[in-house]
Structures are given as C-alpha cells and as structure tokens.
Amino acid sequence: MRVKALETMLVLVLAQLVWYYLGQNRYVLIAAIATAGIGVFLPALAEKIHLLWMKLGETLGFISGKIMLTLIFFFFLVPVAWIAGRFRKPVLKLKRNEGSLFKSRNETYTAQHLEDMW
C-alpha cells in the first residue's frame, strides 16, 4: 500500500506542478512542495490522502458512468428504436388477429430437427 500511496502523491504533485506552470500561481507551487513533503516524510497521512483520492475516483467513476449511459440511451438508442419502429414491420407480432397468440405447428419431428438447431 505504501507504493500506491507514493504513486498517488506523485500524481498529485505533478498535477500541481502543471497547474503552477500554466497559471504561475506561487501558492500552487507551495502546495506541490507540501504534498511532496507529506508523501516522503509522513507516510500515514499519505495513506489517508491516497484512500481519499481513490474514493473520489470511485465516486466520480460511478457518477460519470451513469451520466454517460443515460446520455447514450436517450440520444442514441431511443431515436434508433423510434425510427426502426416507424419503418419496419412488427417483429414480435403482438397484435391479436385471433383469440390467441399461440401458433400451432402440426409437424412430425425427425432427427433432422435436432441437428443444427441454432
């Protein structure tokens, strides 16, 4: 777990250094140095930061996954299903023309029926 905590702290330090490079804010540089110090000299605190970072990642992954699946469903699958329903004959044949949806097959089964069923 110590190696993973160090990796997490390294990623955080690198992100802060990139942020400093883009914005030239000296407080971000101080935060990067402090984060590096915590990662090296305070392993217990680094472990806690690592656990919080991983929990944040799991939470964001859960939320973004739900949002992306919802968007795909409503903006892709629903229109495709609507268009397919308008321009294609009914596949399920759920409309009752007779009293029952059951179709009677008056056929004698042979060995040929059991070969290559699918």
Side-chain angles (χ1 to χ4, degrees):
M1 188 79 158
R2 170 87 174 125
V3 174
K4 292 292 184 184
L6 285 175
E7 289 176 4
T8 300
M9 298 306 284
L10 179 61
V11 167
L12 292 174
V13 168
L14 287 175
Q16 290 169 341
L17 288 175
V18 168
W19 188 8
Y20 169 73
Y21 179 74
L22 294 175
Q24 297 297 323
N25 187 347
R26 73 180 179 113
Y27 296 112
V28 176
L29 181 61
I30 293 170
I33 293 169
T35 305
I38 290 170
V40 173
F41 298 115
L42 300 170
L45 186 57
E47 294 281 337
K48 290 183 172 132
I49 292 172
H50 169 72
L51 291 175
L52 286 172
W53 187 255
M54 291 294 115
K55 190 54 120 172
L56 175 68
E58 288 176 10
T59 304
L60 290 176
F62 178 78
I63 292 169
S64 67
K66 301 291 184 199
I67 291 171
M68 289 188 324
L69 286 174
T70 302
L71 292 175
I72 288 171
F73 180 79
F74 282 111
F75 291 114
F76 182 71
L77 294 177
V78 169
V80 167
W82 185 80
I83 291 169
R86 297 290 177 251
F87 296 111
R88 168 173 86 170
K89 67 178 185 172
V91 178
L92 295 178
K93 300 177 185 171
L94 293 177
K95 294 190 178 178
R96 293 184 183 195
N97 294 334
E98 303 159 5
S100 173
L101 294 176
F102 180 75
K103 282 190 171 183
S104 177
R105 286 185 64 184
N106 294 325
E107 189 173 328
T108 304
Y109 290 102
T110 63
Q112 183 65 23
H113 284 98
L114 297 176
E115 294 177 10
D116 298 324
M117 291 185 287
W118 317 113

